[in-house]
Amino acid sequence: MSHARNTCAMRTSRRCGAQTRNGDACRAPALRGRMRCRMHGGAWGSGAPDGNSNALKHGYFTSEAIEERRFVRTILAEAEHLLCQLPAQPEADGNPRTGGTHFTPEQNCPSAINKS
């Protein structure tokens, strides 16, 4: 180059104190009045916005929600067990002379299949 470059101000400026992925310190100059460079949060408006929607909790894994799902599964299992223990009843559509078809728990009940 034919002209001298004035890099003295940049060389003497304070450096960003952020740690990079490889563990070294960031070598970019910090912004005026800040401790970080523009890439590590020194710029105005940088960082997460107020009321960050990405940080909202949906509540699916709270202890109350887990306990509620466990309770519903228990109730459904008990209901299925009680339905399997009901006595066989003829269907309403069946032929009255033949007595209709009968519900057999051994064939239609999943818990009866699991017990055998």
Side-chain angles (χ1 to χ4, degrees):
M1 298 187 133
S2 60
H3 64 281
R5 299 184 70 185
N6 185 7
T7 58
C8 183
M10 187 170 171
R11 282 197 319 252
T12 60
S13 65
R14 184 173 43 209
R15 297 289 134 179
C16 175
Q19 187 176 5
T20 60
R21 290 180 182 169
N22 64 2
D24 297 335
C26 176
R27 292 182 286 176
L31 292 174
R32 186 178 302 135
R34 304 282 182 129
M35 297 295 292
R36 298 285 184 248
C37 67
R38 62 184 176 84
M39 295 170 282
H40 289 115
W44 180 86
S46 63
D50 293 335
N52 186 359
S53 62
N54 293 330
L56 291 177
K57 301 291 182 185
H58 49 71
Y60 187 75
F61 295 106
T62 60
S63 59
E64 293 86 11
I66 293 170
E67 185 63 32
E68 183 178 357
R69 290 192 300 273
R70 188 176 295 138
F71 176 72
V72 168
R73 280 194 302 268
T74 304
I75 294 297
L76 288 174
E78 289 176 6
E80 180 184 3
H81 180 69
L82 288 173
L83 285 174
C84 288
Q85 291 182 353
L86 285 176
Q89 297 291 327
E91 289 185 8
D93 311 333
N95 188 349
R97 283 189 255 168
T98 60
T101 57
H102 292 290
F103 172 78
T104 56
E106 295 79 22
Q107 296 172 354
N108 298 330
C109 186
S111 61
I113 294 171
N114 294 337
K115 290 180 183 178
S116 54

